Amino acid sequence: MRGIALRFTVLAAFALGAAPAFAQSVCPGRISAQSFAPVPRDAAIAVPDRAQTANERTLRGAVLGALANAGRRVDANAPFILSWRGGISAEGDNFGGFGDTMQDRTFREGGDLTWNQNVPRAGGRRIPVLRVSGVVELRDRASQRVVWTAVITCERHGTDDAALFAHLANAVAPMLGQAASGRPF
């Protein structure tokens, strides 16, 4: 009887300990970055408020939060200006090819369900993989030259845009000014 209780306890501990390993990231991906000029660790960064949609405001908020978490100062008149652009595409549609019919839908209002038109319904057709890609640039305010740039790509899981934006911003913020080649996040 004691052996059964011990086995059950060990099994429960293993299952609970392994649960985070089964948790799926909102968008597992990779980041590649190139530094063209030094970016001092204590330099302030500007994140212009050009948001026109709710998702753009959510992205900006996620970037500001990620910069704060990474210990970066944010100032509207900072010597460096951070900018983002990106979108979403569908790969592996029912013909096994690449379809770019979902471009820029990530940053639209949540009521837009037109993305659903390309999702296979039945009959052995595959569900397309949603690929998020983006470019992040850090410019020197005085010269307007890009001093650091990053390319991010990931496979989207789920539909929570706020979680996606936070995930991407938290992957990028600690990398500012550093070079990387296909680093997973």
Side-chain angles (χ1 to χ4, degrees):
M1 197 59 125
R2 209 161 108 187
I4 293 172
L6 179 60
R7 284 186 203 135
F8 179 72
T9 304
V10 169
L11 181 62
F14 174 73
L16 290 175
F22 294 119
Q24 193 170 35
S25 171
V26 69
C27 200
R30 296 193 174 275
I31 182 171
S32 294
Q34 182 69 39
S35 181
F36 302 109
V39 179
R41 180 77 181 124
D42 61 345
I45 296 172
V47 181
D49 189 4
R50 298 181 184 134
Q52 296 177 6
T53 67
N55 273 346
E56 289 171 339
R57 286 187 288 277
T58 303
L59 174 61
R60 184 174 189 273
V63 169
L64 292 172
L67 289 171
N69 288 340
R72 294 286 190 167
R73 287 184 308 123
V74 176
D75 182 358
N77 298 314
F80 297 102
I81 302 169
L82 186 68
S83 65
W84 289 67
R85 38 180 212 281
I88 188 166
S89 61
E91 294 179 23
D93 60 12
N94 59 337
F95 300 108
F98 178 82
D100 196 19
T101 60
M102 311 243 334
Q103 192 66 31
D104 295 327
R105 296 201 189 262
T106 301
F107 306 112
R108 293 199 179 167
E109 292 292 331
D112 180 11
L113 297 178
T114 57
W115 65 269
N116 200 19
Q117 68 190 2
N118 292 331
V119 176
R121 308 227 189 300
R125 295 164 70 185
R126 296 188 324 223
I127 295 175
V129 173
L130 300 181
R131 172 83 43 204
V132 175
S133 58
V135 176
V136 184
E137 292 180 341
L138 190 64
R139 290 185 178 270
D140 180 288
R141 183 183 295 273
S143 68
Q144 287 299 304
R145 290 190 160 191
V146 174
V147 295
W148 179 85
T149 187
V151 175
I152 54 175
T153 61
C154 63
E155 185 177 309
R156 185 168 185 177
H157 299 226
T159 59
D160 185 351
D161 286 338
L164 172 67
F165 297 152
H167 179 69
L168 296 176
N170 285 317
V172 170
M175 296 292 304
L176 288 175
Q178 300 176 31
S181 179
R183 182 179 292 178
F185 64 89

